[in-house]
Amino acid sequence: MEFTTTQTIEILGTIAFAISGSFAAMQRRLDPFGVLIIAFVTSIGGGTVRDMLLGDTPVKWMRDVNYCLLILITSLLTIFFKTHIKKFKITLFLFDSLGLGLFTVLGIQKGIAFGLSPGICIALGTITGCFGGIIRDTLLNTIPLIFRKEIYATACISGGLLYFALLQFNLKADVTKILVIVFIFALRIFVVRYKLALPKFGY
Amino acid sequence: MEFTTTQTIEILGTIAFAISGSFAAMQRRLDPFGVLIIAFVTSIGGGTVRDMLLGDTPVKWMRDVNYCLLILITSLLTIFFKTHIKKFKITLFLFDSLGLGLFTVLGIQKGIAFGLSPGICIALGTITGCFGGIIRDTLLNTIPLIFRKEIYATACISGGLLYFALLQFNLKADVTKILVIVFIFALRIFVVRYKLALPKFGY
Amino acid sequence: MEFTTTQTIEILGTIAFAISGSFAAMQRRLDPFGVLIIAFVTSIGGGTVRDMLLGDTPVKWMRDVNYCLLILITSLLTIFFKTHIKKFKITLFLFDSLGLGLFTVLGIQKGIAFGLSPGICIALGTITGCFGGIIRDTLLNTIPLIFRKEIYATACISGGLLYFALLQFNLKADVTKILVIVFIFALRIFVVRYKLALPKFGY
């Protein structure tokens, strides 16, 4: 079985968000069943909203049961190994940021495949990247860290701009994708670190 | 006018959720107009999300105005007779559980009709059963009883598994449906009763 | 460049909701980036939900990048001129009510174009008018003014009834639209003023 780059990105993103969803749910002390549901919703949320907006239905995960199995196995492994993970919050944050980068690139690519203009593709990438986490936080009723959500979107949009900027250079498509994924991942981590030290500013 | 089993299930589910929505809204002291809207949203929420995910649009209630009339009449009657109902909370809970069973079976059937795999059909049934209640509670800003939501999903998924297990036996299709509806209804009531006595468990 | 009445209504509604979204976000002290996102979501929310329910996808704003540019410019101008606006709350309220009227009429027209029955068209108009504001308030985690939301829906539904009543008279189509827009705008302002003086009534 050979995977294309797009499939690899999709698989890795699905795993990353399934882990982040499982962690978030365990942090809120849901029962194992609840953890599975949150992992599932976090993992498929962004792509589902994207596909519904595009009218590309039945949405992806309904057509390919393998993604559901992947989420199930990832979530079960996360529950199983949770006692070995000490820095809960940081692990959650890292996988969430990784998923953000991966899914944003996926969304942009799908927009390009649908022939949409660059601005719309970036919006689509942002939606794909962010919505899983938004739904997860809404369902878990986490105190709404709008502040954090902003960073979410900012990282995605910046990554999207970088993507279309890189298209001007004759890089290999895969190199562009990987650069953007790393950029979004790094930007979010950098911004969160930086913001934490920054005083709240009114305006 | 003769109804098929599917139509009967759809009508009963619509009525059950319209009643549960009306009760929930009256409990929060909304004005009659607000009660109608919550009844409507609770009743069509699950099917609407299901149809949007499948791309079966315009969604059901837009194509058949009779469902809207049914909800309107049910909701008005509920408002009218509310003074005669003493055990508000229990009545709401019973109709909600009934609607859950009915709509889960409907969702599973629609998944089968679209040729989706069993796991996806169960997910679709769960979505159809749960989303009306989730939207209702979100709009009413009820303190999010994630605990209760979990039972929601657990009951739907268990019912879905039973549905596909029963398909192995050569039961009449209608018998299978009724058994699953009764199972989900009974399971939810049993679990809620049982859980109420159970100490909260961390893990 | 000449605009049809429908396009003019769409443009004005997009502007009105972009302003109302920007104000609401500034009131909650979001950073400029967050303000843009809330302006965007408020402006396209209603139409997006409408198009997804109808299956008219990819949704409108994805096919026409001009709406996104319009929202961007409106939002930037709002941020820029905010210091000159003293009555923040009232300005927000007025533009919100204006957008409500404009988008409700748009939704009704689209329902008619899809050959839906009058009741469904009114529901579609209500959804188009209300959803941008609902999503905005949910994202901003504003204390859920269900009370205010009810007025939202009441104004839209009343306007919708008026629309179909006016169709009985042989008015010019544009006159009907403008009358309904003004009616919804005026009704909401009137009702809010009136309700503010009204004692909370339980029932």
Side-chain angles (χ1 to χ4, degrees):
Chain A
M1 197 159 59
E2 191 110 358
F3 294 117
T4 64
T5 317
T6 304
Q7 283 173 322
T8 312
I9 293 177
E10 193 142 28
I11 290 167
L12 292 177
T14 303
I15 292 174
F17 271 131
I19 294 175
S20 107
S22 301
F23 271 112
M26 290 193 293
Q27 217 175 6
R28 302 280 290 185
R29 297 179 167 274
L30 266 71
D31 62 62
F33 229 85
V35 173
L36 287 181
I37 290 170
I38 298 293
F40 190 75
V41 167
T42 309
S43 218
I44 59 141
T48 301
V49 173
R50 178 197 63 206
D51 289 353
M52 289 201 310
L53 289 171
L54 287 171
D56 185 21
T57 50
V59 296
K60 182 92 186 188
W61 60 269
M62 290 202 167
R63 285 172 291 172
D64 190 350
V65 78
N66 288 322
Y67 285 101
C68 300
L69 287 177
L70 187 63
I71 296 168
L72 183 70
I73 293 165
T74 307
S75 187
L76 288 177
L77 286 175
T78 310
I79 293 174
F80 194 76
F81 285 112
K82 78 174 169 62
T83 42
H84 299 284
I85 295 156
K86 285 203 180 119
K87 303 197 170 167
F88 232 64
K89 242 180 162 170
I90 292 172
T91 316
L92 162 57
F93 175 68
L94 289 180
F95 278 103
D96 199 44
S97 304
L98 187 61
L100 198 69
L102 292 160
F103 271 22
T104 302
V105 169
L106 269 187
I108 291 171
Q109 280 184 268
K110 190 146 188 179
I112 293 172
F114 267 70
L116 303 175
S117 55
I120 306 296
C121 291
I122 294 175
L124 207 55
T126 306
I127 288 167
T128 312
C130 294
F131 251 86
I134 290 176
I135 298 173
R136 177 195 65 206
D137 292 351
T138 306
L139 288 182
L140 291 176
N141 212 36
T142 302
I143 297 132
L145 300 170
I146 282 173
F147 144 80
R148 192 179 61 179
K149 274 178 199 160
E150 254 41 77
I151 290 165
Y152 249 67
T154 310
C156 294
I157 295 170
S158 311
L161 292 171
L162 178 66
Y163 189 100
F164 284 98
L166 288 176
L167 283 188
Q168 309 307 315
F169 304 91
N170 279 318
L171 295 174
K172 271 188 71 178
D174 288 358
V175 176
T176 304
K177 287 173 201 167
I178 292 165
L179 280 177
V180 173
I181 292 167
V182 171
F183 173 77
I184 295 175
F185 180 66
L187 179 65
R188 188 168 175 226
I189 290 170
F190 177 78
V191 170
V192 166
R193 290 234 147 179
Y194 181 70
K195 274 253 173 169
L196 286 177
L198 207 78
K200 231 177 176 173
F201 85 111
Y203 88 111
Chain B
M1 197 159 57
E2 190 111 358
F3 294 117
T4 65
T5 317
T6 305
Q7 282 173 323
T8 312
I9 293 176
E10 194 141 29
I11 291 167
L12 292 177
T14 303
I15 293 174
F17 271 131
I19 294 175
S20 107
S22 302
F23 270 113
M26 289 193 293
Q27 216 175 9
R28 301 280 291 186
R29 297 178 168 274
L30 265 70
D31 62 62
F33 229 86
V35 174
L36 287 181
I37 290 169
I38 297 294
F40 190 75
V41 167
T42 310
S43 218
I44 59 141
T48 301
V49 173
R50 178 198 62 206
D51 289 353
M52 290 202 308
L53 289 171
L54 287 171
D56 185 22
T57 49
V59 296
K60 182 92 187 187
W61 61 268
M62 290 201 168
R63 285 172 291 172
D64 190 350
V65 78
N66 288 322
Y67 286 100
C68 300
L69 287 176
L70 186 64
I71 296 167
L72 183 69
I73 294 164
T74 305
S75 188
L76 289 177
L77 286 175
T78 309
I79 293 174
F80 194 76
F81 285 113
K82 77 174 170 65
T83 42
H84 299 285
I85 295 155
K86 285 202 180 118
K87 304 198 168 166
F88 230 66
K89 242 180 163 170
I90 291 171
T91 316
L92 162 57
F93 175 68
L94 288 181
F95 278 103
D96 198 45
S97 304
L98 188 61
L100 197 69
L102 292 159
F103 271 23
T104 302
V105 169
L106 268 187
I108 292 172
Q109 280 184 268
K110 190 145 187 179
I112 294 172
F114 267 71
L116 303 174
S117 55
I120 306 295
C121 290
I122 293 175
L124 207 55
T126 306
I127 288 167
T128 312
C130 294
F131 251 86
I134 290 176
I135 299 174
R136 177 195 63 205
D137 292 352
T138 307
L139 288 181
L140 290 177
N141 213 36
T142 303
I143 297 133
L145 299 170
I146 282 173
F147 145 79
R148 193 178 61 178
K149 273 177 201 160
E150 252 43 75
I151 290 164
Y152 249 67
T154 310
C156 295
I157 295 171
S158 312
L161 292 172
L162 179 66
Y163 189 100
F164 284 98
L166 288 176
L167 282 189
Q168 309 308 315
F169 304 92
N170 279 318
L171 295 174
K172 271 189 71 178
D174 288 358
V175 175
T176 305
K177 287 172 201 168
I178 292 166
L179 279 176
V180 173
I181 293 167
V182 171
F183 173 76
I184 295 175
F185 180 66
L187 180 65
R188 190 168 174 225
I189 290 170
F190 176 78
V191 171
V192 166
R193 289 235 148 178
Y194 180 70
K195 274 253 172 167
L196 285 177
L198 207 78
K200 231 176 175 174
F201 84 113
Y203 87 113
Chain C
M1 197 158 57
E2 192 109 356
F3 295 116
T4 64
T5 316
T6 305
Q7 282 174 322
T8 311
I9 293 177
E10 193 142 29
I11 291 167
L12 291 177
T14 303
I15 293 174
F17 272 131
I19 294 175
S20 106
S22 303
F23 270 113
M26 289 192 295
Q27 216 175 7
R28 302 281 289 185
R29 297 178 169 274
L30 265 70
D31 62 62
F33 229 85
V35 174
L36 287 182
I37 290 170
I38 297 293
F40 191 74
V41 167
T42 309
S43 219
I44 58 141
T48 301
V49 173
R50 178 197 62 206
D51 289 354
M52 289 201 310
L53 290 171
L54 287 171
D56 186 22
T57 49
V59 297
K60 183 91 187 188
W61 61 269
M62 290 201 168
R63 285 172 290 172
D64 191 349
V65 79
N66 288 322
Y67 286 100
C68 300
L69 287 177
L70 186 63
I71 296 168
L72 183 69
I73 293 164
T74 306
S75 187
L76 289 176
L77 286 176
T78 310
I79 293 174
F80 195 76
F81 285 113
K82 78 173 169 64
T83 43
H84 299 284
I85 294 155
K86 284 201 181 120
K87 304 198 168 165
F88 231 65
K89 242 180 163 170
I90 292 172
T91 316
L92 162 57
F93 175 69
L94 288 180
F95 278 103
D96 199 43
S97 305
L98 188 61
L100 198 68
L102 293 159
F103 270 23
T104 302
V105 169
L106 268 187
I108 292 172
Q109 280 184 268
K110 190 146 188 178
I112 293 172
F114 267 70
L116 304 174
S117 55
I120 306 296
C121 291
I122 293 175
L124 207 55
T126 306
I127 288 168
T128 313
C130 294
F131 251 86
I134 290 176
I135 299 174
R136 177 195 63 206
D137 292 351
T138 306
L139 287 182
L140 290 177
N141 212 35
T142 303
I143 298 132
L145 300 170
I146 282 173
F147 146 79
R148 192 178 61 179
K149 273 178 200 160
E150 254 41 75
I151 291 165
Y152 249 67
T154 310
C156 295
I157 295 170
S158 312
L161 293 171
L162 179 67
Y163 189 100
F164 284 98
L166 288 176
L167 283 188
Q168 310 308 316
F169 304 90
N170 278 320
L171 295 173
K172 270 188 73 179
D174 287 358
V175 176
T176 305
K177 287 172 201 166
I178 291 166
L179 279 177
V180 173
I181 293 167
V182 171
F183 173 77
I184 295 175
F185 180 66
L187 179 65
R188 188 169 175 226
I189 291 170
F190 176 78
V191 171
V192 166
R193 288 235 149 178
Y194 180 69
K195 274 252 173 171
L196 285 177
L198 207 78
K200 231 177 179 173
F201 84 113
Y203 86 111

